[in-house]
Amino acid sequence: MDRRGTVDLDAQRPLLTGADHAAHRRDHGRGRRDHARPLRRRLSERRPHRVRCCRTTLDPKDIARTVQIADWKLRYYEAGSGHPVVLLHGSGPGATGWSNFAGNIETLAEHFHVYAVDMPGWGGSDPVTVDRLDHVEAAIQFLDALGIERAAFVGNSMGGQTSLRLATEHPGRISHLVTMGPPVGRMPTLFGAGDGPSEGLKVLIAAYHDASPENMRRLVEIMVYDKARFATPELCQARSDAALARPEHLRNYVDGPPKGAPLPKWVKPELLPTVQVPTLLIHGRDDRVVSFETSLYLLANIPNSRLVLLNHCGHWAMIEHADEFNRLVTDFIANN
């Protein structure tokens, strides 16, 4: 199989080979040559950076793509042009690149080439059992298939852990690191629960066993600070429908915890001081899934890092504080 893969644009356009897709990107000024240009110079051509409200006019069907990488077929959502920014979702049932980043893709795409990926085992991508689950390998294969040399990685929770591993294991493929509520690993914490998973993770695991709208309501309520605004019947029903549409994803997750799922591989803490890329840590003070203590730990160990701690914010900073999140990420990538 060609490692660069085969890309399907899902929108009444012909199936493109990896080589065709790369040529198509170059024709639109979005190939490797554009990626290599100085980032600050390219972004200055589009300034001033005026960030719109988080409400989106995008239709996910219009920006959905699929790509066959070496080991999996992945669904992703693509918009914009310029320096590539890869958005990685968390591990909740029904999570996708769109569900996690619907309020961010359009605004970030005003300045960058944005890819919000459904990782293996989630959303519209191939199922995967825990013995084959390696999202860092999937991320590298995704970059290779689309002809991307280096990208900024923005990861929530599980996606943040993937981004941390990528920064330590493949430093040449990442230009910027942004995390929101990533777990660091299986280590004692000062403020976390002492009897195993956090309060939020226990609710998340229960929702995998029974992805009913009621359990999704409990899940959303534990993920956010503003329950009245975000834990709506419509959102909870949509998350339930999305999870139940892929029963193999639910089954693989439920079978996985005794074997280490959803994260059988963790970043090695001793490698964190070797991370040289600019790093932005965003965390909610009211996060009941992963305590903000983990981001304090990352701040102390990653040399070129800074931390934004948001009050009245749970585990989903990019959703609860979308406008501020979009401004922070845009400015950070543009000016570092």
Side-chain angles (χ1 to χ4, degrees), residues 44-89:
S44 66
E45 297 169 1
R46 286 188 288 278
R47 288 179 180 169
H49 283 163
R50 179 174 169 270
V51 177
R52 292 203 311 252
C53 175
C54 66
R55 291 186 295 273
T56 183
T57 62
L58 296 177
D59 185 329
K61 295 179 181 178
D62 293 337
I63 63 170
R65 317 279 190 259
T66 58
V67 59
Q68 179 65 55
I69 62 176
D71 292 325
W72 300 282
K73 184 177 183 180
L74 301 184
R75 168 68 57 87
Y76 66 100
Y77 302 87
E78 180 183 10
S81 63
H83 188 73
V85 176
V86 179
L87 309 178
L88 300 181
H89 59 77

Side-chain angles (χ1 to χ4, degrees), residues 169-315:
E169 297 174 23
H170 300 275
R173 306 304 298 271
I174 181 170
S175 64
H176 303 75
L177 171 62
V178 182
T179 65
M180 303 85 74
V184 174
R186 296 183 178 92
M187 60 180 63
T189 59
L190 291 175
F191 309 116
D195 63 343
S198 68
E199 177 188 11
L201 282 175
K202 291 175 182 176
V203 173
L204 184 149
I205 292 169
Y208 265 101
H209 285 270
D210 176 12
S212 64
E214 179 61 22
N215 273 349
M216 289 299 176
R217 180 187 62 80
R218 296 189 183 98
L219 177 63
V220 175
E221 287 182 346
I222 208 82
M223 293 283 170
V224 300
Y225 175 85
D226 191 344
K227 302 171 183 59
R229 180 182 176 193
F230 292 99
T232 63
E234 294 78 13
L235 174 60
C236 298
Q237 184 66 56
R239 286 297 294 255
S240 175
D241 292 344
L244 293 172
R246 297 299 301 266
E248 67 275 34
H249 290 340
L250 300 177
R251 182 171 57 253
N252 286 334
Y253 187 100
V254 169
D255 291 344
K259 306 171 186 176
L263 295 171
K265 297 182 180 179
W266 294 81
V267 66
K268 296 179 179 179
E270 64 271 20
L271 294 181
L272 290 172
T274 69
V275 175
Q276 297 299 315
V277 296
T279 300
L280 173 62
L281 312 166
I282 302 174
H283 216 125
R285 192 188 72 84
D286 306 287
D287 191 333
R288 291 190 285 168
V289 183
V290 178
S291 169
F292 68 83
E293 178 184 351
T294 64
S295 285
L296 292 174
Y297 178 86
L298 294 171
L299 181 70
N301 283 278
I302 298 177
N304 187 8
S305 64
R306 66 280 296 143
L307 168 63
V308 176
L309 188 62
L310 297 171
N311 214 356
H312 292 180
C313 180
H315 195 54

